[in-house]
């Protein structure tokens, strides 16, 4: 978790609208914004597309990676290529071993004052683990990215957020 803030306090009527880059003009971005919206509200910001004071850009990425608990010798000498998804939440290696999937997720929030175009808040959250439910994990990551807003401690820190059971 890493945050940077140029806001000493939350101003009156802190309204925002979402801002999208050209690469974010897709249906997935609407879902990411829907996951971020409740965290922004809990941080004290109110969405107002007609008369916003700020623009908010949100990003979420999910990448499947090798589990840190994976056997480093699994696949040695083989030429079978990657394993395949079998039934259930496990990864089947080419040699028949079951490994739990592992994911690296990133979520970021950038808040820009529209009048000056100045970035006044930037935060990035990173998480990795076996959870397969993006709809539960990514909203919690936006909560983490906004923890302490607008006076979040500068620099890298660890934030623990309880992911609700679904």
């Amino acid at each position: 978790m890493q945050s940077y803030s140029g806001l000493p306090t939350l101003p009156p009527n802190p309204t925002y609208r979402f801002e999208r880059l050209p690469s974010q003009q897709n249906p997935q971005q609407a879902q990411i914004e829907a996951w971020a919206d409740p965290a922004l509200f809990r941080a004290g910001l109110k969405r107002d597309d007609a008369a916003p004071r700020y623009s908010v850009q949100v990003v979420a990425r999910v990448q499947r990676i090798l589990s840190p608990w994976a056997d480093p010798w699994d696949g040695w000498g083989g030429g079978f290529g990657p394993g395949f998804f079998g039934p259930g939440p496990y990864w089947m290696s080419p040699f028949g071993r079951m490994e739990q999937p592992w994911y690296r997720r990133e979520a970021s929030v950038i808040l820009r004052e529209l009048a000056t175009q100045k970035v006044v808040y930037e935060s990035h959250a990173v998480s990795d683990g076996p959870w397969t439910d993006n709809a539960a994990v990514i909203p919690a990551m936006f909560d983490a990215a906004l923890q302490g807003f607008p006076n979040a401690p500068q620099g890298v820190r660890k934030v623990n957020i309880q992911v609700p059971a679904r």
Side-chain angles (χ1 to χ4, degrees):
M1 173 75 189
Q2 199 164 11
S3 298
Y4 307 92
S5 182
L7 284 175
T9 61
L10 195 58
N13 195 25
T15 56
Y16 74 94
R17 66 176 160 98
F18 284 111
E19 174 184 338
R20 292 184 182 182
L21 296 173
S23 62
Q24 295 174 316
Q25 304 299 321
N26 58 62
Q28 294 84 10
Q29 186 63 28
Q31 178 61 65
I32 293 167
E33 291 167 0
W35 286 334
D37 200 41
L40 290 161
F41 180 78
R42 285 189 287 276
L45 297 161
K46 296 170 190 70
R47 186 165 180 183
D48 182 350
D49 293 335
R53 180 177 186 149
Y54 300 102
S55 70
V56 174
Q57 182 182 358
V58 292
V59 174
R61 292 185 181 92
V62 179
Q63 179 183 17
R64 185 172 174 146
I65 61 173
L66 184 64
S67 166
W69 313 114
D71 181 355
W73 296 104
D74 191 25
W76 179 80
F80 297 102
F84 60 90
F85 286 102
Y90 290 90
W91 172 266
M92 177 74 80
S93 77
F95 300 100
R97 274 205 39 243
M98 297 294 279
E99 293 181 16
Q100 189 171 25
W102 207 261
Y103 300 92
R104 176 179 168 82
R105 292 180 177 87
E106 300 175 36
S108 66
V109 176
I110 297 174
L111 186 74
R112 185 183 314 273
E113 187 175 50
L114 287 170
T116 64
Q117 291 299 303
K118 180 181 175 188
V119 173
V120 295
Y121 187 81
E122 176 184 0
S123 187
H124 305 274
V126 177
S127 173
D128 70 277
W131 308 281
T132 58
D133 189 1
N134 289 330
V137 177
I138 292 175
M141 291 181 68
F142 283 123
D143 280 327
L146 290 161
Q147 191 177 64
F149 176 82
N151 294 317
Q154 302 282 343
V156 177
R157 69 186 195 279
K158 183 176 181 176
V159 174
N160 291 314
I161 301 289
Q162 184 71 31
V163 176
R166 292 172 26 108

